[in-house]
Structure formats: C-alpha cells, structure tokens
Amino acid sequence: MPVRLSPCALALRIHALACGLGVSALALADDNKVSTYEILTPIVVTGSYAPVSSFDLPFSVDTVNLQQIQDGQLGTNLSEVLPRVPGLVVQNRQNYAQDLQISSRGYGARSAFGIRGLKLLSDGIPASTPDGQGQAATLNLDVAERIEVLRGPTSTIYGSNAGGVIQMFTRDGQGKPKVGAETTFGSDGYRKNHLSAEGGNDQAGFIVDASRMDTDGYRDHSSARRDQTFAKVHVKPDADSRLALIYSSLEQNGTQDPLGQTWAGYKNDPRSVAAVAETYNTRKSIDHQQLGMNYERSFGDATLQFNLYAGQRSVVQYLSIPRTVVSNSQRGGGVVDFDREFHGGTLRWVQPIQGVPGQLTVTTGVDYDRSRDDRRGFQNFSGTQLGVKGELRRDEIDTATSLDPYIQARWLLDDWTLEAGLRHSTMEMEVDDRYLANGDASGSKKYQRNTPSLSVMYAFSPDLHGYISAGKGFETPTQAEMAYAPGAIEGFNFGLSPATSTQYEIGLKARVGGNTRINAAIFEIRTDDEIVVSSATDGRTSYQNAGKTLRRGFELGVQSQLSDQWQATLAYTRLDATYDEAYVSSGRTIDKGNKLPGVPGSSLFGELVWKPRQGISMGVEGQYRSKVYVEDSNDDKAAPSYTVFNWRTRFEQNYGPWTFHQMVRLDNLLDRQYVGSVIVGDGNGRYYEAAPGRSWYAGAGLAYQF
C-alpha cells in the first residue's frame, strides 16, 4: 500500500513554495453583469494558448461565463451548464458512483463510467489521466469563473484522447475580504451547504471554498455524500510575472451505485434497481487530493508559461459480479481497490516573430503526465456474507506515461488568419503483475503518433468570418479498456490498437445587429480502428478494434442580448454517426450503416432569460434529445427521444456590507418520464438509467464584505 501524502507533502512534489499555502477566508462571487460585448466576443485561451477573442479563432470554441454558471444553478454537476454548448451531449446518470457521461461529436459516448476521449483541464492542469480517463466531479463549479469548450480538428493539439477539450478556469480572489455561506435543499433529499471566503488586490489574492452535498438519489440505492474543498492564492511578484498555487479535494464515502435498468424494469418502476445492487450493496468510495502551481512571466513580447501538479486518488468499488462467477474467475474479483499517484507539468514559450508580414506568433511547449495505480481486486464475498472485501484475486501496478512536445503558429495577414500545429504524442502503458497464481500478465505497450492540424479563416467583414479546419488525431485505449482480453483469456489486452481519425470542419461566425452572435459549423470525422465493446458479461468488459466509423454533423449556436432585460441562447446539434465498415464482435456481425450507440442524432437546447431589474433573474430552459441506440447491432430497445423544460429564478439584495440571495428552481416542469442516459453495450441488458420526474430546489445565501 502506498504511503498517503498530506497536502503539504504533495506540495513538496511541486515546489517548496506550496508549503506556504496559508490562505485564510473568502466569499461568494459578486453577480457581476456580463456586457453584450463579453457575450458576443469572449476572450479564450483554449486552442491558442494566448488570450484571443473566440470570434477571431478559426475553429469551434465556446465559453460558458460566470453568470451562466451561477444564475439559478445548483453548482453540483457540469450537466447544469454544458448543454448550452453545441456538439456536446451531457447526461446526468443520477449515479454519483459513475459520474457524468459527456461526449463531443461522438467522442466519449461509449464510456461506461467517468469521461473518456475528452481532455479535461482545470486552470491548465489535467483532470484526465495520460490514457484518457477523466473525472468531471473534480471540476468544482462553486469556484469557476468560466468554462471553455473546444471541438474539432484543433483539439488534437492537446494530444491523444482529445476528441474535445473542456477547460475550467477558477476565479482569482479580488476586492475587500468577503465571507459567505449558503444552503440549498430540494427533491429526493438533496442538501448542499457551502462556505466561502475571498479577497485580493493588484498584487495578491486568495480564495477558500468548502461544500458538502447530500442526496438520497432519485432511484433506490443511489444515495451519495460529496465533500469538496478548494484553496487558491495568487501573487504578482512584479509587473511581468504571476504565480498561483491551487489545492483541491473531493471525497465521497460509500456512494451507492444503482446500476443500470432493463427496459422492463425501467417501465415498471423508474426508481427501481436490479436486485443484485442491493444484494451485493454496490457502492464506491473516492478520496481525491491535488495540488498545482501555475507560473507565467513576460520577457518583452514573449511569454513563459509553466505549471506543475501532483496528487493522489484512492478508490474502493464494490461490484455486483455474482459469487459463482468471481469464484471461478482466475483474475479480477468483485471489489476494485486502487491507490493512484499522479504528477506532471507543462513548459510553454509564446513568441511573437518580428520582421515578417502581418502578425506571427509561435508557441512551443512540452507536456509530461504520469499516473501510477497500485491496483488490487478482491472477491466481493467472505464465506456466506456478500458485498464485503474477500480474498485477493488481482494485484498489479499500472503506470501510464505521456510525453508530448508540440509547436503551434498563429499568423494574421490582413483579412486572413492561419493556425497550424503539430504534436508528437506518446503514451506508454506498463503493467507489473504481482498476482502470479494465474501466470504473469506483466507487459507494456507504447502508442505514439504525430497529430497535425491546420486552420484558415477569412474575414469577409468585421462581423462575418468563415473558416476551414483539418487535422489528424488518435485515441489510445484506457487502462480500463485494456484490463481484460476478449473471451476467456486471462491477461491484459495489449493487442488493442489506437483509434486514428481524420477530421474536417467548415464554419461561419457572425455578429448581427450588434447584439447577436451566431456560430455554425459542419464537420466530418473518419475513424479507423474504432475501439468498441467486445463483450460485457459478469462484470468483465473487454474491448476490440472495429473497422471504420463515419461521423458527419452540423452545429449551430446562437446567443442574443435581445434587450436590456432579455437574453436568449440556442444550441443545436445534428450528428449522423455510423459504422462505415462491417465487423464481427463475439461471433455477431455488426453491419455497415449501423448507428454508433450512445450518440443521439439530434440535440437541442434553448434558454430565455428575463432580468426585469437589477437583482432579479428568471430563466426557462428547454432540452430535446432524439432516441439513442444502446448497443452496436441496434436491435435492442433504443432509449426514446424526450423533451424537458426547467424554470429557475434568482433574487439578490444589497444592504451596506451585506449581500443576500435566494434561488428557486423547478426541473422537468411537465413531469416527463424519460431515460436520461444509457450504459453502452451492457452484457446484462441493463442499459437504461432513468431521469427524475418533476423536481424542486430552493436555496438562500448571504455574504459579508469587510
């Protein structure tokens, strides 16, 4: 068992300065008004590594701002705010043991748990492991300033497993010291208590935040408690440099896992769970801690950017694999138990080039990431007692390492903008098998590839830009996807190849009437060796490479400041994702033209916000999602389409140094019963995860500024 590190010990892995992370109090952020200019022309760094207006970038990148994150939202899950981004499908499983399901243009749709195929970042620090598995729960919405979402060919500049990029940026502490507290409660035993403090000036600032969320869960056997803490201090040693130290933690003890539902079970009782979930008391405990350091310094026109991070994550998960199967299995077990130690860093240089026509900026850098899992598997029974940790059946060290140098150029020539990038991505997976009763499964596999991207934009006018973008990417298997070889073979599946893709995108960006922003894009993604489920039975899911897949789609995003009181948002995605070549899986032929499971053909989000006066905000949200296939043959019952509406309102009052706010929210206003998410390819046929009916939430908070 690895030694558990304290936050201070973790900091020593990063920089001696982190041991002085002594931050005191902080507060709720002000409900700052967002100007029309900020809505139409937000500044982003994702995709360009330097601050640029998203309107002037030749690729699809969108921003969710502070107001949208805070205005009448619970601050619990990314599913509250990301549906407003075209191209994304964000599904709340109503299962805190398995996290959200997020896909971007089809990337990540097959994930049975957590996020895969997408790059998650927080303040430039990865929330994804080198093999591509990410955890959205580690992104704390209570401290978010904005979220940037990058899709399309340019995302390949972030390396392997970057079918899209979701990057959250936390707030800096600013203004006079402020402390705050709020509480929210609602349906199904939802309760959240939140304390915060912040402050700062031109030279330094701090923010401290802590929250506890409890829920009984919509479905039976789905209760959860989540504790999150966050601390950040930033200083500006001089006019040319900035240093930030960041600590975050996530703790979930005994989070119940309701598993998926069969169609018959879902229709009979949407709140139901499979009997095995309660028989084996399926559950998961998580303890995650992370420290990071960001440093930036200007050298004339050039900029040096440098970050380091380190952390640990411990997980114990009790599965529902039947006792007879676990007893006969030579490897694995019904209890997953691992301790992960991870660290890495980025070194980047942004250099404007003089003496050339126009404005040329070259960015060079290298990313290094490493995670080491001390992974064990146990039987999920002892004697006649089920749902407890029993005999050891697996013991290994899994190490994933990536080292990626890259170069990117941005060149402005009159009305033309050129972006070009090249990254050499390397990911190596090493397995040191220490459980030798069934032989030695040790081994290693290295994946490496060059991933270029090229984008060109032309400004037809100051308010109308058109662009074309192309790139190549690749997606390595994750540790979980390599964990079991197909069939009855024991050992790691080192035979899995990475999926390689070629992407194309054509888009238009327009500003209309000074108050409306429109983004439209069509795209095509051709993938070879798509990684798909080979079999998923008795708690063991194995994967294989399929043939070719084809994804073609259209995205439309509209944001409009209709008047001083009214704002509107629309996000539409049409995606046709199919197998472009037949393949055989477990003796069954998957035909060319079959739809990729987990990918809706159409998604629509709309929002109308009314602010009759300062301190009052009311909004109505609507979401539509077409049917979703649940497995590759498309024969089993698809999750039907649905439309839901939500309503929210927020009030705020200021009395001297005091600020008060209240929130009321009603989700699923029409009490529609629907399947909120699916578990792709589940061998037990438990594909479906029911979403709640009509739900209510209410909250209130106060802040005091010294």
Side-chain angles (χ1 to χ4, degrees):
M1 295 284 290
V3 176
R4 297 185 61 78
L5 302 176
S6 68
C8 186
L10 279 172
L12 289 173
R13 295 287 305 275
I14 299 177
H15 196 281
L17 287 172
C19 287
L21 185 59
V23 280
S24 44
L26 136 87
L28 297 171
D30 291 331
D31 185 17
N32 294 327
K33 295 184 67 177
V34 179
S35 68
T36 301
Y37 180 84
E38 290 175 292
I39 293 175
L40 302 185
T41 318
I43 302 299
V44 300
V45 299
T46 305
S48 60
Y49 295 121
V52 180
S53 164
S54 64
F55 191 75
D56 297 323
L57 291 170
F59 43 78
S60 293
V61 58
D62 288 272
T63 300
V64 181
N65 60 43
L66 177 64
Q67 177 181 285
Q68 293 164 330
I69 294 169
Q70 293 187 340
D71 189 9
Q73 307 294 347
L74 301 178
T76 302
N77 296 302
L78 286 173
S79 56
E80 301 166 22
V81 296
L82 288 186
R84 66 184 64 249
V85 178
L88 288 191
V89 175
V90 188
Q91 302 185 113
N92 187 343
R93 298 179 181 276
Q94 305 302 317
N95 182 350
Y96 286 92
Q98 303 296 354
D99 212 340
L100 301 178
Q101 186 182 70
I102 304 178
S103 63
S104 175
R105 296 184 176 179
Y107 285 104
R110 71 173 178 275
S111 178
F113 61 91
I115 312 299
R116 71 98 56 245
L118 305 178
K119 190 81 168 183
L120 299 181
L121 300 165
S122 180
D123 291 321
I125 297 171
S128 302
T129 53
D131 60 336
Q133 193 75 47
Q135 305 296 327
T138 60
L139 274 61
N140 189 338
L141 288 175
D142 288 330
V143 294
E145 180 182 58
R146 71 184 190 279
I147 301 170
E148 298 177 3
V149 182
L150 172 66
R151 289 101 58 216
T154 303
S155 63
T156 62
I157 197 65
Y158 286 84
S160 62
N161 302 291
V165 180
I166 300 174
Q167 182 162 202
M168 188 186 83
F169 294 89
T170 60
R171 304 191 309 274
D172 285 342
Q174 296 179 345
K176 295 179 179 180
K178 191 193 313 185
V179 296
E182 64 179 345
T183 185
T184 307
F185 53 95
S187 296
D188 302 312
Y190 179 90
R191 302 171 301 280
K192 181 179 177 182
N193 295 311
H194 175 214
L195 299 173
S196 58
E198 70 177 272
N201 53 34
D202 292 340
Q203 283 73 46
F206 66 90
I207 178 170
V208 178
D209 192 275
S211 66
R212 166 168 287 182
M213 185 280 298
D214 290 281
T215 179
D216 297 333
Y218 170 69
R219 293 176 58 199
D220 298 337
H221 196 74
S222 62
S223 67
R225 166 171 286 182
R226 175 191 287 177
D227 291 316
Q228 287 185 285
T229 59
F230 178 89
K232 176 180 180 181
V233 59
H234 78 274
V235 296
K236 296 181 179 179
D238 53 51
D240 297 322
S241 62
R242 181 183 187 277
L243 172 69
L245 301 173
I246 305 165
Y247 168 76
S248 63
S249 72
L250 168 71
E251 185 175 352
Q252 292 183 202
N253 290 321
T255 303
Q256 293 181 327
D257 185 351
L259 308 178
Q261 300 166 287
T262 63
W263 181 250
Y266 160 74
K267 292 296 290 182
N268 182 60
D269 181 4
R271 292 182 180 267
S272 66
V273 299
V276 292
E278 295 178 319
T279 299
Y280 285 90
N281 190 17
T282 50
R283 61 199 187 276
K284 186 176 186 179
S285 294
I286 302 170
D287 184 4
H288 180 103
Q289 300 179 63
Q290 180 171 306
L291 273 163
M293 179 190 76
N294 283 321
Y295 178 73
E296 182 171 312
R297 184 173 184 85
S298 299
F299 294 88
D301 293 334
T303 304
L304 171 70
Q305 298 173 347
F306 176 55
N307 74 44
L308 289 172
Y309 70 92
Q312 62 183 23
R313 182 180 181 88
S314 298
V315 172
V316 180
Q317 183 174 13
Y318 290 79
L319 306 175
S320 62
I321 305 173
R323 173 177 176 172
T324 53
V325 174
V326 176
S327 299
N328 296 329
S329 175
Q330 297 180 5
R331 181 170 175 267
V335 180
V336 177
D337 185 342
F338 71 82
D339 291 283
R340 174 177 298 156
E341 185 181 7
F342 56 92
H343 63 272
T346 293
L347 181 64
R348 183 181 304 123
W349 183 266
V350 183
Q351 177 68 63
I353 304 299
Q354 307 298 328
V356 297
Q359 302 175 37
L360 175 61
T361 302
V362 176
T363 300
T364 58
V366 61
D367 293 341
Y368 169 76
D369 302 289
R370 182 180 178 89
S371 67
R372 181 183 185 274
D373 289 8
D374 185 352
R375 185 174 292 267
R376 298 161 299 281
F378 299 87
Q379 292 180 339
N380 55 355
F381 64 91
S382 179
T384 59
Q385 189 175 5
L386 305 180
V388 297
K389 187 180 292 186
E391 181 183 336
L392 180 71
R393 302 306 297 266
R394 181 175 188 170
D395 187 3
E396 65 196 37
I397 302 294
D398 301 332
T399 305
T401 307
S402 65
L403 180 65
D404 293 17
Y406 57 89
I407 184 169
Q408 187 171 3
R410 172 176 167 82
W411 200 353
L412 279 64
L413 284 169
D414 297 323
D415 294 327
W416 293 91
T417 300
L418 172 69
E419 292 260 3
L422 177 64
R423 186 181 185 113
H424 180 72
S425 291
T426 303
M427 197 284 284
E428 183 173 13
M429 178 66 71
E430 300 175 90
V431 177
D432 178 12
D433 189 1
R434 299 179 175 183
Y435 183 79
L436 304 179
N438 59 344
D440 190 351
S442 300
S444 65
K445 184 68 174 287
K446 178 181 286 189
Y447 305 95
Q448 54 185 339
R449 190 169 296 269
N450 293 323
T451 54
S453 65
L454 177 65
S455 304
V456 179
M457 172 179 278
Y458 180 72
F460 298 101
S461 74
D463 293 318
L464 179 62
H465 294 175
Y467 67 90
I468 184 169
S469 182
K472 290 184 176 292
F474 85 120
E475 188 175 24
T476 68
T478 66
Q479 183 278 336
E481 291 168 343
M482 300 173 69
Y484 299 107
I489 301 173
E490 296 294 335
F492 243 68
N493 189 1
F494 289 114
L496 267 181
S497 299
T500 59
S501 62
T502 303
Q503 301 187 46
Y504 304 96
E505 178 183 32
I506 299 175
L508 286 173
K509 300 183 179 184
R511 291 181 294 218
V512 181
N515 63 354
T516 300
R517 166 81 177 266
I518 301 174
N519 294 340
I522 58 174
F523 58 87
E524 178 180 279
I525 305 170
R526 294 184 176 271
T527 303
D528 292 323
D529 294 323
E530 187 84 55
I531 300 172
V532 299
V533 173
S534 174
S535 64
T537 57
D538 298 328
R540 293 174 55 143
T541 302
S542 61
Y543 294 80
Q544 70 176 73
N545 292 108
K548 300 178 180 180
T549 62
L550 175 62
R551 279 168 275 178
R552 288 173 171 161
F554 168 73
E555 294 173 359
L556 175 66
V558 181
Q559 287 185 292
S560 182
Q561 185 73 42
L562 302 175
S563 68
D564 290 341
Q565 291 79 35
W566 293 91
Q567 298 173 1
T569 301
L570 177 74
Y572 173 73
T573 305
R574 174 63 186 170
L575 177 58
D576 185 28
T578 61
Y579 288 104
D580 205 33
E581 183 177 75
Y583 74 97
V584 177
S585 173
S586 299
R588 180 179 58 174
T589 299
I590 305 302
D591 295 327
K592 177 180 178 179
N594 278 17
K595 301 293 186 181
L596 268 64
V599 181
S602 296
S603 298
L604 176 66
F605 172 87
E607 178 187 67
L608 185 63
V609 178
W610 179 46
K611 297 184 177 182
R613 62 177 184 174
Q614 188 173 355
I616 300 177
S617 175
M618 298 184 184
V620 176
E621 310 161 6
Q623 292 189 59
Y624 165 79
R625 190 158 297 150
S626 64
K627 70 178 181 180
V628 175
Y629 290 100
V630 297
E631 42 77 45
D632 293 321
S633 73
N634 298 170
D635 292 333
D636 289 348
K637 174 69 176 179
S641 63
Y642 66 84
T643 303
V644 295
F645 295 94
N646 309 319
W647 173 86
R648 67 178 193 265
T649 186
R650 187 179 192 274
F651 303 94
E652 182 176 301
Q653 307 86 35
N654 294 291
Y655 299 100
W658 292 93
T659 300
F660 301 90
H661 72 266
Q662 305 82 37
M663 180 272 289
V664 178
R665 182 178 182 90
L666 295 175
D667 287 345
N668 196 355
L669 282 172
L670 303 181
D671 200 22
R672 176 72 183 272
Q673 188 59 61
Y674 65 101
V675 174
S677 60
V678 300
I679 303 172
V680 171
D682 185 85
N684 298 297
R686 297 195 293 260
Y687 306 114
Y688 314 97
E689 296 175 300
R694 186 183 296 115
S695 304
W696 64 271
Y697 303 92
L702 56 85
Y704 180 83
Q705 188 165 41
F706 294 93

